[in-house]
Amino acid sequence: MGIQKNIQTFISNPGIQKRYLIWQATRLTTGHLPYIELPKGQRLFPADRFNDFHAIATQHPDINEFNLVDTLLSTSSKGVFVDVGANVGAMTLLAHSTGRVDTILAFEPTHRYCSAWHYNVAYNGIKNATLIQTAVGDRIGEVDFRVDPTMPLNNKINKGQVHFSSQTQKVKIVTLDSVCNALNIDRITLLKIDVEGAEPLVIRGAKQLLKERRIQNILLEFIVEFIEDMDEDPYSFVQMLNELDFDLYEINPNGTLGQTLDYKEVVDARRVLPDAPLRPFHGINLVAQLQT
């Protein structure tokens, strides 16, 4: 079904056809995949399929996202950036380009995305980033993970019906508490979480860090329907953040922090229809900031 839909989309969309020709021509003439240029000049190479290139070319970090990440990292003199759901490294590169991070710790369970992450980090000369090939959640062990190559950027823990795929593999899963304790990471300046609805699991697995006020800022994808598809309660999720002394902020289109959001209203306010158009970065993400 996914392949058939992709073919129909390709046939009916001249823009995608043009992008595909550019992708193929670059591969044939240069011997390598085309790249996407990020705001501060870094070059981001997607994974090896056209779907990966198209997805990142359609929606990748821009100068407004750089401004937001730069602002959030400026809240500490010794920046630690943790990238959960790192994919091929777009946010890793963006955080590094601020010049404010001493340590980058990234997590990504999918092997071919890990390969692209390592290539991007090496190509852009980043020396202070470490990738752990694992999922992140609220327990330590193994989990079934979707790895359908026809659906890039939607790989996720095998649960629910959104972007359903029968292609799965066993991957390791860890908690942030366990890894940070093992690596002696005392404080996180910015925790970015983009895990297709499993964000509550990541937060539950960081309870020690959060209770001890060792995470200052969280930038999280907040898609209500994805969270519910994981059999998680988004109302309980935002209430948990509130009880852990975090304020929720909307993100302005220019990357600045917007108004404080009422955690009791944010879930209903963020619901969208299933056929709603693709939303921009500031429309699908929230910032949770530790109260001072």
Side-chain angles (χ1 to χ4, degrees):
M1 185 65 180
I3 295 176
Q4 182 180 357
K5 184 178 180 180
N6 287 343
I7 292 173
Q8 292 173 347
T9 301
F10 179 81
I11 293 173
S12 62
N13 194 314
I16 294 179
Q17 295 171 21
K18 180 179 179 181
R19 187 171 283 169
Y20 178 76
L21 291 175
I22 293 173
W23 180 76
Q24 281 285 28
T26 302
R27 294 172 66 215
L28 293 173
T29 58
T30 67
H32 61 74
L33 296 171
Y35 61 83
I36 307 298
E37 187 163 322
L38 297 185
K40 294 300 177 177
Q42 314 95 323
R43 293 181 176 181
L44 177 69
F45 292 84
D48 56 354
R49 292 176 179 264
F50 171 69
N51 279 2
D52 298 298
F53 173 72
H54 172 62
I56 292 180
T58 300
Q59 194 172 35
H60 60 273
D62 60 15
I63 189 61
N64 299 318
E65 292 176 53
F66 170 85
N67 292 337
L68 175 65
V69 171
D70 184 61
T71 297
L72 296 176
L73 285 170
S74 70
T75 59
S76 173
S77 59
K78 184 179 181 182
V80 175
F81 176 67
V82 176
D83 190 356
V84 178
N87 199 260
V88 301
M91 294 298 286
T92 293
L93 268 59
L94 197 72
H96 181 268
S97 69
T98 67
R100 298 185 185 276
V101 288
D102 297 301
T103 302
I104 298 174
L105 179 62
F107 297 87
E108 170 58 46
T110 308
H111 183 71
R112 65 193 193 92
Y113 288 165
C114 287
S115 297
W117 185 96
H118 282 291
Y119 182 87
N120 284 316
V121 165
Y123 183 92
N124 288 278
I126 298 175
K127 307 294 186 183
N128 60 345
T130 300
L131 176 69
I132 301 178
Q133 187 170 341
T134 181
V136 179
D138 55 2
R139 62 185 178 86
I140 300 172
E142 287 188 333
V143 66
D144 288 328
F145 198 83
R146 298 178 185 173
V147 290
D148 189 343
T150 68
M151 304 179 71
L153 306 187
N154 287 301
N155 290 8
K156 55 175 283 187
I157 292 173
N158 188 34
K159 198 171 186 179
Q161 296 300 314
V162 175
H163 305 298
F164 178 77
S165 169
S166 60
Q167 299 184 42
T168 65
Q169 67 180 31
K170 291 283 188 184
V171 302
K172 299 293 184 182
I173 186 168
V174 298
T175 67
L176 279 181
D177 279 340
S178 64
V179 173
C180 289
N181 286 340
L183 298 180
N184 295 316
I185 293 177
D186 179 64
R187 189 167 301 276
I188 297 172
T189 310
L190 175 57
L191 167 62
K192 166 254 168 181
I193 315 173
D194 181 355
V195 287
E196 310 303 332
E199 288 79 14
L201 281 70
V202 177
I203 292 297
R204 287 202 298 269
K207 274 293 186 70
Q208 180 183 353
L209 289 162
L210 291 163
K211 287 181 178 179
E212 295 175 0
R213 301 176 64 86
R214 292 161 56 194
I215 300 177
Q216 291 178 267
N217 303 284
I218 307 171
L219 172 60
L220 68 150
E221 185 178 79
F222 187 75
I223 300 179
V224 174
E225 295 74 19
F226 282 17
I227 294 172
E228 291 178 333
D229 191 59
M230 291 289 293
D231 291 333
E232 294 288 335
D233 180 4
Y235 298 97
S236 298
F237 176 46
V238 293
Q239 182 176 347
M240 176 171 57
L241 289 171
N242 178 261
E243 291 172 351
L244 289 164
D245 291 334
F246 280 86
D247 288 327
L248 296 179
Y249 291 88
E250 70 176 6
I251 302 167
N252 293 324
N254 65 357
T256 58
L257 286 185
Q259 65 180 353
T260 306
L261 299 171
D262 186 338
Y263 79 94
K264 297 178 182 178
E265 299 177 357
V266 66
V267 173
D268 292 333
R270 284 297 180 102
R271 288 192 182 277
V272 296
L273 297 174
D275 58 350
L278 184 67
R279 287 174 289 164
F281 170 83
H282 65 273
I284 63 174
N285 290 278
L286 296 176
V287 168
Q289 194 165 67
L290 187 64
Q291 298 171 11
T292 56

